[in-house]
Amino acid sequence: MASETKEDYKAIAAIAQKRRADAIPEHYLLPPNKLENLPRDLSTVPRESGHFTKHELEIIESDAGTLLKRIHSKTWTAVQVTEAFCKSAAVAQQLTDCLTEILFPSALARAATLDAHLQTHSTPVGPLHGLPISLKDCFITPPHPSSIGIAALANTPTSDADDKTILVHNLLALGAVPYVKTNTPVGMMMMETDNHVWGPCINALHSGCSAGGSSGGEASLLQMRGSPLGIGTDIGGSIRIPAAYCGLYGLKPSYGRFPQFGGKSGIPGQDYILAVNGPMSRDLDALRVYSQASLSGATAASSPWLRDPKCVPLPWRGTPQVQPKGRKLRLAVLTPTHDGIVHVQPPVERALAETRKAIEAAGHEVVDWEPKKHFDMMRMVVGGFQGFGGLAIMNELEKTGEPVFLSMKGYETAAKGGEAVLGPTKYRKMLLTRYDLQKYHLDRWQATADEASGKGPIDGLIMPVSPWAACRKGLTNEGEETMAVVSYTAVWNLLDLACCTFPVTRVDKDKDAKRESFEGWSELDGRVQADYEPDFYHGAPVSLQVVGERLGEEKCLEVVGTVKEALEKADVRFS
């Protein structure tokens, strides 16, 4: 019986994959001859394949704001826009394995209903009327399963009675058109997107690299122009790592800013490290469009605090948060090439240097920032993830005999320890330590104010998202010990700060030479550096993040916009 159980996950995966394949119309797909001799940068395929009409290309290459304007002005119909993105998402799936559940029929029917409403009433049903929005697999859209990369959940339908995802309810009321759900790693708890149900997700900009995790399917879909705007989640870097690896803007908000109630979780019930959801896009303004629409407070759907008891009653602030308006920023930049745990690879070091030079050239003040207590914070993060997640995730995997990925072996070890691993006394101490670390960081941030000159604290902190530009596909699950590194992102989850990624450049083998000599902090640090090969990583996207203040999402996006302008003015361009 046990041997039969161990094979169950393979049978389950075959059923799930067939369901996905059967749901995609054949005429949406690239013909077999177009799948030969593919370029390393897969994002170029839609335009160069000849598979899309001129009108379809115009649609899928438009940003969310432009799409909304053209739908609301009746220049384009919601059906036209939705069908173009359904077709583009199907191609993205062929090339990157980014999708899980296909919602095309219901999406096209909804788009037709929205078109009829606009034709009859001449006003949109809401600010997101007609906009296709992709969703990470954890968001419940009945009757489609939400597997979150776990075989035991892959073919279990959801029902209206189960549908408690407030965010999806609100998106529908605001006029959005959900049309696909996207791939995640097992339990959404790995920094690469891979699982035994759907398989690994490939990076759209560099097919030899990982798309990151856990919102990796979302990130590859977006960069393939298979979606204008997607919603991911983040508990340790799950929006930011994929966004960075795929050259996107990704907003990790503070807990309570967007509704979190409902949906599937890899570690349900834990409130020690707070999972959040947020928007991702190729276009920075799309993040503002989504946030303004979702949090305006003008309707019940844009007032999520009326439905989610943990959502903060704070409407989106559309006015400039940097005051007085137009003043130069004070920005901290990570000064060393490490976070006290792992050094970044050469391309990331160059991105930091070029960004610093650009913002200084634009007249903004730069303050050096040393990483402090990051090791202590990461010890708390890892302990929390594995302590709370061990049994929660392993119990699900054991149901179908799923093998455990190398980067999740710590969860397996924690599960074997049982509930004794994390008792009430230890948990109380963890909470007190977390509070102390949050207070320490807040005091440190406030201490950057210059009272003598009347200058306030820094407006943001610029630092890497990962030691890699985008790690080699499968790297963190190879060998005897995992190379997974989330310390550049997860510390900000522990501190509950708003963060946003932004693309800077691409790996250039001529500019980003391998270090001739290197002294690392640890064996892991040395292995990360040894992995860097200029020829292999050439062309991979290099991104950074702005870390802001708690519940300071508006200002965080504003700072990213200013940094973006400075980079463009300095001719540092992501292309």
Side-chain angles (χ1 to χ4, degrees):
M1 189 71 177
S3 61
E4 291 178 2
T5 302
K6 288 182 179 180
E7 298 302 315
D8 282 351
Y9 76 93
K10 295 180 181 179
I12 289 170
I15 293 169
Q17 290 178 23
K18 185 178 186 302
R19 179 178 69 247
R20 178 180 62 183
D22 290 348
I24 299 176
E26 188 174 354
H27 66 277
Y28 282 175
L29 298 171
L30 289 171
N33 67 305
K34 297 291 185 180
L35 300 175
E36 299 173 357
N37 301 315
L38 291 169
R40 175 181 276 186
D41 185 346
L42 298 170
S43 71
T44 63
V45 172
R47 172 164 282 280
E48 295 177 359
S49 66
H51 185 60
F52 293 86
T53 67
K54 182 179 179 180
H55 187 219
E56 288 170 338
L57 286 172
E58 186 179 5
I59 289 173
I60 66 174
E61 292 178 353
S62 295
D63 59 57
T66 298
L67 291 168
L68 288 168
K69 288 176 184 176
R70 294 189 178 180
I71 293 171
H72 297 180
S73 67
K74 302 179 184 178
T75 304
W76 294 339
T77 67
V79 168
Q80 288 174 326
V81 171
T82 299
E83 183 146 36
F85 278 105
C86 287
K87 181 177 177 179
S88 186
V91 170
Q93 163 58 25
Q94 279 184 285
L95 299 176
T96 69
D97 200 14
C98 57
L99 303 183
T100 56
E101 304 298 332
I102 309 300
L103 285 58
F104 294 167
S106 61
L108 289 167
R110 174 168 171 76
T113 300
L114 291 169
D115 285 336
H117 176 95
L118 188 60
Q119 192 65 35
T120 301
H121 301 284
S122 298
T123 56
V125 301
L128 299 179
H129 180 113
L131 183 67
I133 292 183
S134 49
L135 300 172
K136 190 173 180 176
D137 190 73
C138 56
F139 297 108
I140 296 175
T141 56
H144 307 280
S146 286
S147 62
I148 57 172
I150 295 174
L153 306 175
N155 297 321
T156 304
T158 56
S159 67
D160 289 328
D162 298 326
D163 186 0
K164 299 177 181 178
T165 304
I166 289 174
L167 180 138
V168 175
H169 279 301
N170 288 356
L171 285 177
L172 292 171
L174 293 168
V177 182
Y179 65 111
V180 288
K181 295 175 69 176
T182 54
N183 203 359
T184 77
V186 179
M188 303 187 291
M189 295 304 294
M190 300 196 302
M191 66 161 279
E192 290 191 72
T193 293
D194 196 358
N195 58 72
H196 297 295
V197 180
W198 310 106
C201 185
I202 297 170
N203 192 309
L205 293 176
H206 189 305
S207 59
C209 290
S210 168
S214 63
S215 306
E218 202 62 56
S220 269
L221 176 69
L222 286 159
Q223 191 51 256
M224 286 296 301
R225 291 164 176 77
S227 172
L229 175 68
I231 312 302
T233 65
D234 196 311
I235 194 173
S238 293
I239 286 174
R240 288 161 293 156
I241 292 172
Y245 282 15
C246 293
L248 305 171
Y249 298 94
L251 175 64
K252 182 213 83 72
S254 295
Y255 186 77
R257 199 65 206 274
F258 292 99
Q260 193 68 22
F261 190 87
K264 292 287 186 182
S265 171
I267 315 176
Q270 75 85 20
D271 267 359
Y272 178 64
I273 301 171
L274 302 167
V276 295
N277 62 70
M280 304 166 66
S281 182
R282 298 185 312 279
D283 173 56
L284 175 60
D285 194 55
L287 275 57
R288 299 191 189 99
V289 168
Y290 170 81
S291 301
Q292 176 65 46
S294 301
L295 300 176
S296 71
T299 63
S302 61
S303 306
W305 46 86
L306 300 178
R307 295 178 177 176
D308 187 336
K310 290 191 176 182
C311 205
V312 179
L314 178 62
W316 189 258
R317 296 161 289 196
T319 56
Q321 296 299 295
V322 176
Q323 294 294 336
K325 183 179 178 180
R327 74 164 169 83
K328 295 298 183 181
L329 300 180
R330 299 189 72 229
L331 295 171
V333 176
L334 187 72
T335 304
T337 59
H338 61 80
D339 65 346
I341 301 173
V342 174
H343 288 74
V344 298
Q345 292 183 347
V348 182
E349 181 179 5
R350 176 170 62 88
L352 265 177
E354 290 184 351
T355 301
R356 178 173 187 142
K357 184 177 179 181
I359 57 180
E360 287 178 329
H364 303 290
E365 181 182 354
V366 172
V367 177
D368 291 340
W369 185 271
E370 293 281 339
K372 294 184 178 181
K373 298 199 175 185
H374 281 225
F375 183 84
D376 295 336
M377 289 190 279
M378 279 309 300
R379 185 169 52 193
M380 301 302 296
V381 168
V382 172
F385 283 167
Q386 295 178 356
F388 286 108
L391 283 171
I393 294 175
M394 291 304 130
N395 284 347
E396 293 292 339
L397 302 190
E398 288 174 4
K399 291 177 182 178
T400 61
E402 275 196 70
V404 179
F405 282 90
L406 177 66
S407 62
M408 295 197 73
K409 287 294 184 180
Y411 292 84
E412 185 177 43
T413 300
K416 290 176 180 177
E419 297 293 348
V421 171
L422 186 63
T425 299
K426 182 176 180 180
Y427 185 42
R428 286 197 302 271
K429 290 179 179 179
M430 289 169 65
L431 291 173
L432 288 170
T433 302
R434 182 187 65 178
Y435 200 5
D436 286 342
L437 288 167
Q438 290 170 336
K439 180 65 167 69
Y440 171 83
H441 179 83
L442 177 62
D443 290 346
R444 197 177 167 214
W445 188 287
Q446 294 300 317
T448 61
D450 188 343
E451 294 183 5
S453 61
K455 295 177 181 178
I458 55 173
D459 296 299
L461 163 62
I462 296 174
M463 68 175 296
V465 178
S466 172
W468 295 276
C471 78
R472 194 185 308 262
K473 184 175 62 180
L475 181 69
T476 63
N477 286 308
E478 295 174 352
E480 296 183 1
E481 291 190 22
T482 182
M483 287 175 66
V485 177
V486 298
S487 53
Y488 284 91
T489 51
V491 293
W492 311 119
N493 294 84
L494 187 74
L495 300 179
D496 194 27
L497 303 183
C499 307
C500 184
T501 62
F502 60 95
V504 179
T505 185
R506 299 264 197 139
V507 177
D508 186 326
K509 62 183 179 181
D510 296 323
K511 294 180 180 178
D512 304 316
K514 191 178 181 74
R515 295 188 177 110
E516 294 183 3
S517 61
F518 174 76
E519 292 185 10
W521 296 98
S522 63
E523 181 185 3
L524 172 63
D525 198 8
R527 290 167 63 206
V528 169
Q529 288 306 308
D531 167 69
Y532 178 64
E533 294 293 342
D535 287 337
F536 174 81
Y537 281 111
H538 182 74
V542 191
S543 302
L544 300 174
Q545 66 180 325
V546 166
V547 179
E549 296 173 86
R550 184 169 177 270
L551 298 172
E553 290 75 21
E554 296 91 338
K555 186 175 182 180
C556 189
L557 293 185
E558 192 175 337
V559 170
V560 170
T562 300
V563 173
K564 178 176 179 285
E565 290 174 2
L567 288 168
E568 290 171 348
K569 188 175 181 180
D571 202 30
V572 178
R573 299 181 184 274
F574 179 81
S575 59

